Each structure stands twice: as C-alpha cells, then as structure tokens.
Amino acid sequence: MLLCATAVMLLASCSCGEKKAKYVFYFIGDGMGFSHISLAEGYLATKAGKIGNDPLCFTQFPVMGMATSYSANKYITCSSAAGTALATGTKTNNGMLGTTPDSSNLTAISYKIHNAGFPVGVTTSVTIDHATPGSFYANSTARSDYYGISEQLATSGFEFFGGGGFYGAKDKRHQEKSLYEIAAENGYEFAYGVKDYKAKKSQGAEKVILFQEDEAKRNNDLPYVHERVEGDLTLPEVVTAAVDFLNNENGFFLMVEGGKIDWAAHSNELVGTVFELLDFDQAIAVAYEFYKQHPDETLIVVTADHETGGVTLGRGKGYAYDLSVIDKVAGAEGAEGTDVSNYMQDISNDSLSVAAQIGWTTTSHTGGAVPVFAVGAGSEMFAGRQDNTDIPKKICKAMGVAF
Ligand SMILES: [Zn+2]
C-alpha cells in the first residue's frame, strides 16, 4: 500500500494514451468480485481502527470499468470459459479452454503479441496448467487435461512461466514422458525458487520456468498466504522475477493470475479470501513500481474472470460487519507472516464469517459483472461497461498489435 502513496500525484500528471503500450501487465484475480475488493479494503480500515475502506494499490488506478462475464452456454462462467474470453476475445462453453464451442482452436493474444516480437510471460499462484494461465498458451476441449495443456506450454515458445508446477505431473502419461523433460527439450530451463532463478538467469537462460524450491510442493499451487512458510515462493516474487527476466527496451507482455482468491472463496474462507486478495495487490504493486519508471509506455490492466462465493459485506439483520475477528484469530496480524491455521482447525470458517457478519451464498461462482481497473498507456479504453471479450482486443489495440 505504501508503494501507492505517490500514485495520485503521479497519475494527475500522466498524459496517458499518447504513446503505445510497450510494457503490458494483465492481472486476473480469479473469483475477484467487487465485494471481495471491498472486503479487503474494509479489513485494512479495520486494522487502522476506523470505519471505512482503505484503498488497495490497484483500486487507486484512474480508470475503472466493469466487464460482463457470462460464457457461451451459461449465465455463470467457469474459469476456462472466462479465461478463453479474456485471452482470445471469443466466448466458449464452460469446461473448454482456448477453443470455440464447436471445438475449433482459438489464438490467444499472448501468441499474437509474441509473434509481434514481444517476449511473453504467464504466471499464477495456482498450478501453471490451470484454466486461467492455460487459456494464454493452450487449446483443449477439456480444461481437466492438465498433461495435454502442459505439453502445449512446452511448445509455446513463451519466455517466462512461473508459479505452481505441473498438476499434469499426476497424469500417468507423465510417468512415460515427463513434462519436465518435454519442456527441457523445448529449450526451457527450470528454476526452483528465487535464488535458483537468479543463477539460471546469470547463466544466460533464454526461457525460464520458475517453480517452488521445495520438491514436495512443486507440482501443487503456491501455498495460501496464511499457510506460507519460510522459503515458499510467493506471487509478488514470481512477478518480480518475471519483470526482471522479460524487461528489455522493446517491451513485454505479462499475464498474472491471482488464482487462490477463487479457491478460498469456493471454500467460503474469509481469512484466505482477504489475504489472497491483499497478496494479489502486492503483486500488482510490483508492476506499479515498474509503471512509475516508464509511465508513458506501460499499461496495467486488472480484472477478474468471475465472482466466487457470492460474498456479502453484511449478513442477516443489522447494518454492520466486523472484520476485527480476522486479527483476533490465533495471533493473526495481517497478510504477512500470519498464521491463522490454529484458529481454522478449531472453529469452522463459517463461524468466523458469522462472527464477522460476512455472508456467502454459494460455494460456486456467481454471474455478476466483474471489475476492471487500468492505468497507463491506453488505459482510458477500459473505462465503463464492456464484455470480457473486449479486454484482449483493447490490449492489442493499446500495444499496436493486430488482433
Ligand atoms: Zn472457481
């Protein structure tokens, strides 16, 4: 949040929209509805001992809009149909990834941008073959074919991947031919943890895949913020490495998914939802620091694929909610270095939400529109009402890349 202290002043003097966007960040908060954002802001205000909403980094961006999120066959989208819309500009059926409803392959903007000469990075806090990152490099009629999706990662040619490992390593095909082997055959160097990343980069690696240092955790999603232990890879670290690796005078394109906002919200976990959102904001703050160095040529777009959990700020009767319960749990002190696991073992998440007067209406997704925030070159295009399929088209336009 401190990183954004000078945001308003800088933004006021920004003459955005003149130059093409050369450095582009595309952040997707999986499951991040408007209420999730208010929840995180309410938590920050509560910590400061007041009633209010303390802004996040990205909620101070000067451009705000909304995006409708329905899929081709459902009012309520799943992450692969929404990821496909956000990556290719075409709606598809729930469960499909990078294909039309009649199974024709679509081309994600990441390929169009790559073909135009920009290095590309795809990163996430869940496994790298999950629906949202997969939408940016794969075509599959089944989002659950993790092995098949990871094979396409290996042949994408994109310069940087980072986050949770190959869920597809659990597939029996992986025993016959390892996904690690396939990626290595295609010129990828694996970096396990930040230190190893730095070593691989200094050794001249041309394409990098950054996973967890701990081998036992490697093919899982990155740990929840509140379950993190020393040495665990974090989403802000992944973004820092990606920027370091991709940065060059010709520009780059980086997609970042905050995937565990969705997972926490599916479980109706109040603490996880708030802390994952704050962590996602910290990852965006890394991009914002970069933006401040290149304000005329950087574009940051932040959106979501859908809302998860139907979370409400308020529950039952009365005009109040109380997020102070979050910090009362087992020594919890905030998003960094917090351990709330003891509390979670003792009391159900639902009890915590009841105590906080936070409501949940579903353990699935909901069908509302999602927020869009943007700053930098071309950001004004993202204001107002749009469909999720419009966003990738606008990104290409901002970059001067043919859609
Ligand atoms: Zn979900």
Side-chain angles (χ1 to χ4, degrees):
M1 270 46 72
L2 277 176
L3 292 170
C4 271
T6 55
V8 177
M9 274 161 52
L10 267 163
L11 295 172
S13 61
C14 171
S15 59
C16 309
E18 301 292 321
K19 287 193 179 176
K20 283 202 168 34
K22 199 158 95 169
Y23 309 102
V24 175
F25 295 88
Y26 193 2
F27 284 92
I28 301 173
D30 201 302
M32 183 183 74
F34 288 95
S35 291
H36 298 70
I37 293 169
S38 293
L39 202 56
E41 292 191 340
Y43 170 71
L44 293 180
T46 302
K47 279 180 79 69
K50 61 186 184 191
I51 288 174
N53 280 48
D54 279 4
L56 305 175
C57 178
F58 70 89
T59 57
Q60 296 175 78
F61 288 178
V63 175
M64 190 186 168
M66 54 169 269
T68 45
S69 66
Y70 59 92
S71 74
N73 70 334
K74 293 277 190 182
Y75 275 109
I76 301 176
T77 190
C78 78
S79 286
S80 68
T84 302
L86 292 167
T88 71
T90 301
K91 286 192 189 288
T92 193
N93 293 344
N94 283 10
M96 301 177 95
L97 183 89
T99 71
T100 61
D102 61 6
S103 305
S104 304
N105 285 349
L106 293 161
T107 304
I109 56 164
S110 28
Y111 282 102
K112 294 176 181 175
I113 293 165
H114 198 242
N115 288 340
F118 296 89
V120 167
V122 174
T123 61
T124 179
S125 56
V126 297
T127 56
I128 198 68
D129 45 14
H130 212 260
T132 307
S135 300
F136 285 82
Y137 63 79
N139 310 105
S140 178
T141 52
R143 60 175 283 183
S144 55
D145 180 17
Y146 296 102
Y147 183 91
I149 289 165
S150 289
E151 279 184 306
Q152 295 176 64
L153 177 155
T155 53
S156 68
F158 297 163
E159 284 73 12
F160 189 94
F161 289 94
F166 295 126
Y167 192 78
K170 293 172 174 65
D171 191 303
K172 66 174 182 339
R173 285 173 285 174
H174 180 80
Q175 314 319 324
E176 290 152 23
K177 185 144 193 183
S178 152
L179 290 163
Y180 289 85
E181 201 183 323
I182 298 170
E185 282 170 7
N186 284 280
Y188 285 95
E189 300 251 14
F190 283 89
Y192 301 123
V194 172
K195 224 175 164 182
D196 194 28
Y197 158 72
K198 287 177 180 162
K200 294 282 158 56
K201 193 201 172 195
S202 67
Q203 288 157 20
E206 288 178 2
K207 291 187 284 182
V208 161
I209 300 175
L210 170 59
F211 287 163
Q212 286 261 56
E213 184 178 350
D214 185 343
E215 197 174 351
K217 294 178 174 178
R218 195 165 293 159
N219 288 322
N220 294 326
D221 43 289
L222 300 185
Y224 280 109
V225 171
H226 62 269
E227 292 172 353
R228 210 177 259 168
V229 296
E230 186 76 30
D232 282 340
L233 191 61
T234 72
L235 191 62
E237 285 173 348
V238 170
V239 174
T240 302
V243 171
D244 175 65
F245 194 75
L246 297 172
N247 191 14
N248 76 96
E249 58 186 18
N250 298 318
F252 60 78
F253 172 81
L254 175 62
M255 192 292 293
V256 183
E257 183 204 20
K260 296 194 75 164
I261 301 165
D262 176 66
W263 293 23
H266 270 290
S267 304
N268 294 174
E269 281 186 5
L270 179 59
V271 174
T273 300
V274 169
F275 287 2
E276 289 304 317
L277 207 142
L278 292 174
D279 197 56
F280 183 56
D281 189 50
Q282 289 299 306
I284 296 166
V286 173
Y288 190 73
E289 279 299 299
F290 183 90
Y291 161 82
K292 286 196 286 183
Q293 313 302 317
H294 312 271
D296 297 340
E297 298 174 298
T298 303
L299 169 66
I300 307 175
V301 178
V302 182
T303 190
D305 51 356
H306 51 74
E307 194 272 357
T308 303
V311 68
T312 59
L313 288 82
R315 175 180 187 131
K317 283 189 174 178
Y319 299 112
Y321 62 85
D322 178 13
L323 297 176
S324 68
V325 298
I326 290 177
D327 281 352
K328 285 180 190 150
V329 299
E333 282 176 355
E336 280 169 44
T338 298
D339 179 9
V340 295
S341 53
N342 294 338
Y343 182 90
M344 287 188 162
Q345 280 159 19
D346 296 340
I347 302 174
S348 75
N349 296 310
D350 187 54
S351 298
L352 186 61
S353 290
V354 169
Q357 289 172 263
I358 294 302
W360 300 90
T361 59
T362 178
T363 52
S364 298
H365 303 168
T366 61
V370 292
V372 182
F373 295 89
V375 64
S379 59
E380 64 285 346
M381 282 191 282
F382 298 88
R385 187 187 195 279
Q386 60 216 298
D387 185 61
N388 57 5
T389 54
D390 296 328
I391 296 174
K393 296 170 190 166
K394 291 177 182 178
I395 288 176
C396 283
K397 195 173 175 192
M399 296 184 81
V401 170
F403 180 79

